[in-house]
Amino acid sequence: MAKRERVEEGEEQPCVSIITINYNQAEITRQFLESANTLNYPNFEIIVVDNASIQPFETTIDQTQFPYLQIVRSEENLGFTGGNNLGIQVAKGDYYFIVNNDTELSPAILDELLKPFMANDKVGVTCPKIRFFDAPQLLQYAGYNPINMFTGQATAIGFKQADNGQFDQPRPTYFAHGCAMMVSRNVVEQVGRFAERFFLYYEELDWSQRIRNAGFLIYYQPSASILHKESVSVGQNSPLRTYYLTRNRILFMRRHCSAFQRLVFFLFFSAFVFPKHVGTYLLSGRLRHAKAFIDGAIWNLTSPSISPV
């Protein structure tokens, strides 16, 4: 019960609710919880949202090893958006650290992510430097470039570059990364939670846009770092990934573009993106990917862009 004693001793410090989702990945989630045992910060809780796993997560671990843990079971797969929203709904913290279960936490990550909030009350979100678990010398995220509002393309700064300290300056950035982002309760109360219509992918870009539109800063904090195993649940070469990336890229543009920007985007997508991707998938024999891409695009013709948050 050492960890619970640490929480009680640190009650004068802001409480951080660490929220993660488990979907048929009991061992991966257990490893994540083990990494949380190394955290220096004294006042936190961990909420694991068990997103309709075939075997309930609570039956796979000894919860006495994790006295700060709360498991919330959903009998329906709510996706990344709905699962995290459920976690936020039950969380008690002053800050929500939304983090993938396929990550390894560093001991000081909570302490470092909280610092920008204490220094500037306009900071609404902080994100750590993200590196690849299997190649920790390579960066996955060091902030985001602005999204091109005519093409719907957004790029992570430093992606797959060697980490030689070139991105060690903390600064505001355009978008948070859904792998690991700390959000203040105040932001959620003003802006709302994830837009559940996204389900998976682009949801953090949509949320970031709404948060910045409300006047808050999104802050990249490189003194906080995390290792990401990446796409354990969906897979990098999954038709499901193709479907949601296609669908939600268009959905984001529908929600955030001006009328002129939407017109240019739809012309660009129809004339260049759609034939290029479908043709490439067909020529390479990836028929399921071609269908997923087409389905993702067509979904936007019949589905509204408004979403519960």
Side-chain angles (χ1 to χ4, degrees):
M1 299 293 290
K3 181 66 66 173
R4 175 58 59 196
E5 292 169 4
R6 287 174 59 194
V7 171
E8 291 169 355
E9 289 170 4
E11 283 179 346
E12 72 281 359
Q13 295 178 269
C15 177
V16 176
S17 296
I18 302 173
I19 301 169
T20 195
I21 295 174
N22 176 73
Y23 177 63
N24 296 323
Q25 297 172 337
E27 178 56 23
I28 293 292
T29 303
R30 189 197 62 77
Q31 292 171 16
F32 169 83
L33 294 174
E34 289 287 354
S35 77
N37 284 334
T38 70
L39 291 172
N40 296 331
Y41 193 74
N43 191 11
F44 69 90
E45 63 175 357
I46 294 185
I47 297 168
V48 172
V49 178
D50 192 20
N51 223 357
S53 297
I54 295 172
Q55 181 178 5
F57 180 63
E58 66 181 1
T59 67
T60 68
I61 63 166
D62 178 2
Q63 291 192 54
T64 62
Q65 297 179 12
F66 311 105
Y68 46 82
L69 172 64
Q70 178 182 358
I71 299 173
V72 180
R73 170 78 177 177
S74 171
E75 297 301 331
E76 175 188 357
N77 184 353
L78 302 174
F80 185 88
T81 54
N84 278 304
N85 283 353
L86 178 59
I88 291 171
Q89 181 179 321
V90 302
K92 300 176 182 178
D94 305 292
Y95 297 88
Y96 310 121
F97 183 36
I98 295 163
V99 58
N100 282 16
N101 67 326
D102 60 344
T103 57
E104 184 174 290
L105 303 178
S106 56
I109 190 167
L110 298 185
D111 308 78
E112 296 301 320
L113 286 176
L114 283 168
K115 287 180 179 178
F117 292 107
M118 306 303 133
N120 185 348
D121 61 8
K122 298 304 291 182
V123 172
V125 182
T126 58
C127 286
K129 177 191 291 183
I130 304 173
R131 294 176 291 135
F132 291 102
F133 182 86
D134 291 330
Q137 76 281 5
L138 296 181
L139 292 164
Q140 182 179 9
Y141 170 88
Y144 252 112
N145 291 308
I147 195 167
N148 186 319
M149 298 305 284
F150 295 105
T151 67
Q153 295 171 315
T155 56
I157 297 170
F159 183 67
K160 290 191 175 179
Q161 293 185 30
D163 182 13
N164 296 315
Q166 71 272 41
F167 300 114
D168 281 356
Q169 183 64 37
R171 64 187 184 280
T173 190
Y174 284 91
F175 297 101
H177 198 295
C179 167
M181 54 191 297
M182 184 177 285
V183 186
S184 72
R185 176 181 285 271
N186 180 45
V187 163
V188 175
E189 289 175 347
Q190 293 192 45
V191 177
R193 294 172 287 182
F194 283 112
E196 295 190 2
R197 188 164 294 280
F198 283 87
F199 193 77
L200 184 69
Y201 295 121
Y202 269 83
E203 71 289 319
E204 78 272 36
L205 302 184
D206 174 84
W207 205 21
S208 296
Q209 187 70 48
R210 289 159 46 212
I211 289 169
R212 287 195 296 108
N213 288 347
F216 293 100
L217 294 174
I218 296 170
Y219 211 78
Y220 165 63
Q221 179 72 344
S223 58
S225 66
I226 196 167
L227 295 174
H228 186 202
K229 298 168 187 177
E230 195 189 20
S231 292
V232 169
S233 58
V234 175
Q236 279 294 304
N237 195 33
S238 163
L240 185 68
R241 184 173 187 268
T242 298
Y243 170 78
Y244 278 110
L245 283 175
T246 305
R247 194 192 87 165
N248 292 345
R249 175 183 179 182
I250 300 171
L251 177 60
F252 177 92
M253 301 299 278
R254 292 169 62 202
R255 284 169 61 84
H256 296 291
C257 285
S258 67
F260 177 69
Q261 289 169 334
R262 278 197 301 272
L263 175 62
V264 174
F265 170 73
F266 288 135
L267 290 173
F268 169 77
F269 190 89
S270 301
F272 297 102
V273 179
F274 191 90
K276 175 186 174 183
H277 281 74
V278 173
T280 299
Y281 288 138
L282 291 176
L283 289 173
S284 61
R286 291 182 288 173
L287 303 184
R288 292 175 62 205
H289 283 270
K291 183 180 184 303
F293 188 92
I294 294 170
D295 288 346
I298 291 176
W299 179 90
N300 283 277
L301 299 177
T302 58
S303 299
S305 62
I306 297 173
S307 174
V309 295

